[in-house]
């Protein structure tokens, strides 16, 4: 099991990508977030909190979001950027490995952040 905290706030799906004509591209905010994830993942690997190699197999992933303020936000807007960034940082081979995905709001935290929990997927009801 992996249980790690990222001390920065992910961009919403509306800010992580932009549309240019009929193409969808990662935005500057999305690129910056991806770069921060890569740096943090490297540190977590050195600390042996994340495996050096990509995690294989079916996954059960939970994300707990700690918002930077009390503004009203849509919870589902904050999945895509972290999941894609973790794929890019080779935490797992591909986010298609995720067979169960859950999210929830945590307490407001100065600057915002989020917690990532990765467990092997077990078919059936959540193991929590």
């Amino acid at each position: 099991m992996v249980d790690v905290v990222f001390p920065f706030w992910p961009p919403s799906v509306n800010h992580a990508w932009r549309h240019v004509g009929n193409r969808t591209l990662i935005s500057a905010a999305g690129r910056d977030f991806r770069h921060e994830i890569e740096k943090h993942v490297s540190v977590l690997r050195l600390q042996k909190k994340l495996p050096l190699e990509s995690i294989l197999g079916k996954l059960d992933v939970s994300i707990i979001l700690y918002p930077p303020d009390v503004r009203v936000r849509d919870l589902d807007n904050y999945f895509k950027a972290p999941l894609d960034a973790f794929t890019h940082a080779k935490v797992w081979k591909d986010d298609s490995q995720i067979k169960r995905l859950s999210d929830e709001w945590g307490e407001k935290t100065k600057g915002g952040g989020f917690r990532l929990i990765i467990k092997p997927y077990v078919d059936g009801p959540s193991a929590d």
Side-chain angles (χ1 to χ4, degrees):
M1 182 171 96
V2 171
D3 188 342
V4 292
V5 174
F6 292 81
F8 45 87
W9 186 242
S12 74
V13 72
N14 300 320
H15 290 100
W17 288 270
R18 61 189 175 90
H19 299 284
V20 178
N22 61 356
R23 295 175 37 190
T24 302
L25 307 171
I26 190 166
S27 69
R31 288 190 304 272
D32 290 346
F33 178 74
R34 183 181 281 182
H35 183 68
E36 285 301 311
I37 290 289
E38 287 177 321
K39 287 192 314 188
H40 204 72
V41 163
S42 293
V43 169
L44 291 168
R45 284 182 166 142
L46 289 173
Q47 296 171 341
K48 300 185 189 243
K49 294 179 180 178
L50 274 175
L52 294 175
E53 300 293 323
S54 298
I55 300 169
L56 302 175
K58 297 177 182 178
L59 304 175
D60 181 338
V61 173
S62 297
I63 296 176
I64 302 168
L65 296 162
Y66 302 101
D69 53 47
V70 296
R71 279 187 279 170
V72 175
R73 294 177 166 87
D74 290 344
L75 187 61
D76 62 332
N77 279 345
Y78 294 92
F79 267 127
K80 186 80 173 135
L83 296 180
D84 285 355
F86 293 132
T87 301
H88 186 77
K90 297 180 177 32
V91 170
W92 46 63
K93 289 279 187 188
D94 189 76
D95 53 6
S96 66
Q97 293 171 248
I98 300 169
K99 302 305 176 192
R100 179 176 294 120
L101 181 61
S102 63
D103 64 346
E104 65 182 272
W105 289 116
E107 295 180 16
K108 179 184 80 136
T109 302
K110 184 176 182 178
F114 64 99
R115 179 177 168 195
L116 173 70
I117 302 168
I118 306 170
K119 299 181 279 191
Y121 173 75
V122 177
D123 195 19
S126 178
D128 291 336

